[in-house]
Amino acid sequence: MEPIPDISKLNINDSTTNTTPSPSTTPNKKPQQQQQQNSKQAAKVALLTEEQIKKCLPILKCEVKDCNIQMNLDHFNNGLPIHMVINKETNDFVIVKVDNQELEEYQLIYSVPKIQSFKKDVLIQQPQPQQKSESSAGADDEDTTVTTVTTVKTITKFNSYYISNKWNGMNIQVFKYNGADGKIYISAKPRASPFIQNDLKSGPIIDFINEIFSRDQIEITTENDGNYFKVTTNFNNTTTTTTTTTNNNNNDDDGSNNNKLMVPKLIESLFLKKEKEIQSIVFELCGNKLPHIVKYDFDIDLKPLFTISTQGGLIKPIIDDSKDNGQIQFVQYVKINNNNDNNNNDNDNEEDNKKLIELIDEIKINLLKENQEFRKVNGLSENMIWFNHFLQEGRVLYLLNDQGTLINHRQIYSIKPKDAEKSHWEQFDNGIQTKLLMTVKEMTEKSIPIDKDTLRKELDLDQVSWNRHENDICSLALPPVVTTPLSKSKLVITCGLPACGKSYFAQAISERSSGTWKRINQDDLGTRKKCEDLLKQYLKAGHNVIIDRCNQDIGQRRNWIKLAASLGVAQVHLIWFTIDQTICKGRIVVRENHPTIPKGDEGIAIIDKFLTMFVPPSEFEGFASLTQVSSEQESNDLIEKYISTIDS
């Protein structure tokens, strides 16, 4: 057996850690790597001057480390180059240069906020006990006391609410911005990037939008005394990219038509001077040409959602009161008769909120029934839900003030039936990943070979959808290739909440195994990359290894299976610690000297965050065994079992 390397001599350079290697352990190529990193950073900054970047920070309300500096091409306007600074957290961005010309006044473009899943405490937050740790000044750690504080009930107040249909497709934000020469441009962006484009993964999105815009256009006059702004972007075509000329009619030598422009009726308000505060109109691009989980009876359309204002990014839903809208169940605008200046109407507010909660529960139940009936009638699987398997994705809730804008800035709530909550192919989320692994298991049981062609056939995906998710599907579904020669080493992965007993278990086995079992802990090492490097060295040296990590989702756990296979380890075992969260929180309140998680309220908040992120493991993930540990006694029994097999 080869001697195990000293952990202090590992090459663990990683930009995500604050640890600085000593000169004796720093590899010779470190200066070169650092120089390359610095060059990349300098290239980004070179797009804009330091002064230009600093000027954007108060506008975006963030620091330099929280920004991305980019130059993007506006494909909606013939690839116009746009220099910008982007807030990483909100995706809001400041336009600094248009067509390489710096703007006299930088422009902040508010992005679409991420929709939040509706929970009852949005309307009525019940009193909650919270544990707090306190200690007297100068007291020893042993004198720390834990107290329980109960919060008060909170009733959300609003003037009205609007429940709209939740269209299932791609979010498209159509917005306007100015050039340095005063020209006004209209462009469009998806949620995650500054500008739309046609590509293989998403499809011909610009073509779709232009096709829709061409259906219903109006002629506007842009004279100085007119009601409309003169906009540079032209909407007289339906080709891949729009032109940047204001007039295609060259027959009028006197220029009499220079102040006339055909614009899409859907976005007329972006041109209206009286609506100058409207910066963006947000739509959902959906239909059979852009397949998602909902089956529609139209090819492609833009469904209006809401507007975003230049004044603080205020969001105002576009309320559809047309007759056609009456055919969609549970779409309604309701005004609440309350007076927010009256301090004695809390009971009335609570009653209104309870009725709304009851309505939302009814919506979820009814939409689930509609989807289940749709699948039954069309002979679609109930257990394996993919594209075009839904009639309804859900509804959207807007809580509004007396001005008709959101009461809580950028907070929009989704109301989904149970089946739709578990399926969102656009994000390739954990629900979809689990369904994919279930399909792989069924294929294995039927002796169907697992490759790209068979996967696409079994998943019944169209070409656009396959192009969008091929890499993710193959990465997760294709069986890991186990290298030869096979290793005799064993690999155990732990998963569970912080303070659930993972480290206690792993340390006990490591300490009592006389070096046979090695523990790898990310809290000690700092990053997953360092854990992976150490795992490679331990397995190559013939040791058994326990990965002591939370491993909270499928992707985190799948990573270790694939890495083990590449090192000749065919079987990976999972131990899932299912200790009750209240026990974990009780431990973390008093736990001392943890390298990453503080004790007290901060630690409790971290556990709460993990609860929202944690995805329970399943038999479909490819582990050789999955063992649950729900108590300290079960943990001790399992420790003895592992120790007893060391010499066997």
Side-chain angles (χ1 to χ4, degrees), residues 113-131:
K114 185 177 181 180
I115 195 168
Q116 302 176 45
S117 179
F118 174 82
K119 297 180 180 179
K120 293 180 181 180
D121 61 7
V122 168
L123 295 174
I124 301 176
Q125 189 169 359
Q126 299 292 345
Q128 295 290 332
Q130 295 183 346
Q131 291 181 326

Side-chain angles (χ1 to χ4, degrees), residues 30-159:
K30 171 70 186 296
Q32 182 180 358
Q33 290 176 337
Q34 187 64 47
Q35 187 176 8
Q36 291 174 346
Q37 291 177 0
N38 292 340
S39 297
K40 291 179 181 178
Q41 184 65 26
K44 284 187 175 182
V45 176
L47 294 171
L48 297 171
T49 67
E50 184 177 346
E51 181 180 351
Q52 290 169 333
I53 295 170
K54 286 183 176 180
K55 188 176 175 181
C56 296
L57 301 182
I59 303 175
L60 291 169
K61 298 179 181 179
C62 63
E63 301 177 15
V64 174
K65 64 181 179 62
D66 303 315
C67 294
N68 280 328
I69 296 92
Q70 296 182 2
M71 191 282 287
N72 292 287
L73 301 179
D74 181 0
H75 296 282
F76 213 71
N77 287 284
N78 280 347
L80 199 67
I82 310 293
H83 290 72
M84 60 181 62
V85 178
I86 304 173
N87 184 317
K88 294 178 184 177
E89 181 179 356
T90 65
N91 280 330
D92 296 344
F93 59 92
V94 171
I95 297 178
V96 178
K97 294 181 181 179
V98 175
D99 201 12
N100 297 312
Q101 299 296 312
E102 183 179 1
L103 305 181
E104 184 176 342
E105 183 177 347
Y106 295 177
Q107 296 169 65
L108 172 61
I109 305 297
Y110 293 98
S111 283
V112 175
K114 185 177 181 180
I115 195 168
Q116 302 176 45
S117 179
F118 174 82
K119 297 180 180 179
K120 293 180 181 180
D121 61 7
V122 168
L123 295 174
I124 301 176
Q125 189 169 359
Q126 299 292 345
Q128 295 290 332
Q130 295 183 346
Q131 291 181 326
K132 289 193 173 185
S133 57
E134 299 177 354
S135 60
S136 302
D140 295 334
D141 292 337
E142 289 78 5
D143 295 331
T144 300
T145 59
V146 178
T147 58
T148 300
V149 179
T150 302
T151 60
V152 298
K153 180 188 290 187
T154 303
I155 308 297
T156 302
K157 295 184 180 181
F158 50 93
N159 288 78

Side-chain angles (χ1 to χ4, degrees), residues 474-488:
C474 293
S475 176
L476 182 62
L478 295 180
V481 179
V482 181
T483 60
T484 53
L486 295 179
S487 171
K488 294 183 179 180

Side-chain angles (χ1 to χ4, degrees), residues 335-373:
K335 190 166 184 178
I336 304 297
N337 294 320
N338 61 36
N339 180 7
N340 288 337
D341 294 330
N342 183 355
N343 294 324
N344 298 319
N345 66 344
D346 283 350
N347 291 336
D348 292 338
N349 289 136
E350 184 171 2
E351 229 15 74
D352 289 330
N353 290 12
K354 284 181 178 178
K355 290 179 182 178
L356 180 53
I357 290 173
E358 291 174 0
L359 173 61
I360 290 171
D361 288 340
E362 181 185 353
I363 290 173
K364 290 182 177 181
I365 293 171
N366 279 272
L367 296 187
L368 176 61
K369 289 179 180 178
E370 287 187 37
N371 286 335
Q372 290 173 334
E373 181 63 22

Side-chain angles (χ1 to χ4, degrees), residues 471-483 491 493 532 535-536 539 554-570 572 621-623:
N471 291 337
D472 291 328
I473 290 171
C474 293
S475 176
L476 182 62
L478 295 180
V481 179
V482 181
T483 60
L491 179 60
I493 310 299
E532 292 171 351
L535 175 64
K536 293 174 185 177
L539 292 181
I554 295 172
Q556 297 272 336
R557 297 187 288 263
R558 188 72 169 178
N559 173 70
W560 301 113
I561 294 178
K562 295 171 71 173
L563 183 57
S566 70
L567 297 167
V569 178
V572 180
E621 292 185 35
F623 290 101

